[in-house]
Amino acid sequence: MWLSDRRTLLLAALALGACGFTPVYGPQGSGGTLVDSVLLPEPGRPESYLFNRRFEERLGRAPATAPYRLTLQLQTTEQGIGSTSAGSTTRFRVIGRAFYTLTDTATEAVLAEGRTNAFTGYSTTGSTVATLAAERDATERLMVLLADQVIDHLLLETAAEAG
């Protein structure tokens, strides 16, 4: 059984190589184009700071003279999704949206633009301190999700342009 699973994995890897698949961060991949090259907007809110922190963890911090600039608009909303028989909300869903545009700073040409959505949740059944910590954690997880999705979309766009 193990041998047949191994053969399937090797055949799948060969098939991907034969179809022109190139890893984004590989030697001929397009992922290196954006590393340390995307200037982010100054964070004006805690959510923006969390988004920028995750973006820079993955793609690095760009200098002021970066070849690309990301314009970003973040939106978050909360929705009560659980309640007790007395009407108290016991669980919230935090919904986030990121609208982004990647621009070439030299030509002001729009290279990529789009929108991404994600959501997380938290419980309010603990103490006030626990509820506030859960809310902060949910917001941080949401910004990580949104930043990862924006980065993935940008990497796919640059891969499509390069190939």
Side-chain angles (χ1 to χ4, degrees):
M1 171 106 177
W2 179 79
L3 186 57
S4 92
D5 289 342
R6 188 171 159 192
R7 284 186 202 147
T8 304
L9 180 65
L10 290 173
L11 288 174
L14 287 173
L16 282 176
C19 74
F21 172 77
T22 304
V24 173
Y25 292 115
Q28 286 83 28
S30 63
T33 305
L34 298 179
V35 174
D36 295 326
S37 300
V38 180
L39 185 62
L40 297 172
E42 289 293 322
R45 301 180 358 216
E47 292 87 357
S48 301
Y49 168 77
L50 294 168
F51 182 95
N52 287 5
R53 183 176 74 185
R54 178 60 178 172
F55 197 96
E56 289 176 350
E57 283 174 4
R58 286 197 51 200
L59 289 182
R61 180 175 290 186
T65 58
Y68 307 110
R69 179 179 64 248
L70 186 73
T71 306
L72 181 69
Q73 180 186 358
L74 295 172
Q75 295 176 346
T76 58
T77 56
E78 273 192 9
Q79 192 178 57
I81 57 173
S83 62
T84 64
S85 59
S88 299
T89 303
T90 59
R91 186 145 185 87
F92 281 94
R93 177 184 296 147
V94 185
I95 303 166
R97 292 173 194 81
F99 300 88
Y100 63 91
T101 305
L102 184 68
T103 308
D104 185 315
T105 54
T107 63
E108 294 299 321
V110 173
L111 303 175
E113 60 184 344
R115 166 189 161 172
T116 186
N117 305 307
F119 70 92
T120 59
Y122 66 96
S123 175
T124 63
T125 57
S127 67
T128 304
V129 172
T131 298
L132 290 172
E135 181 180 10
R136 279 193 304 272
D137 181 63
T139 301
E140 183 171 350
R141 286 183 284 123
L142 179 62
M143 292 304 117
V144 167
L145 285 168
L146 290 174
D148 285 345
Q149 289 177 1
V150 168
I151 290 167
D152 292 345
H153 288 165
L154 294 176
L155 290 172
L156 289 172
E157 286 287 328
T158 57
E161 289 176 13

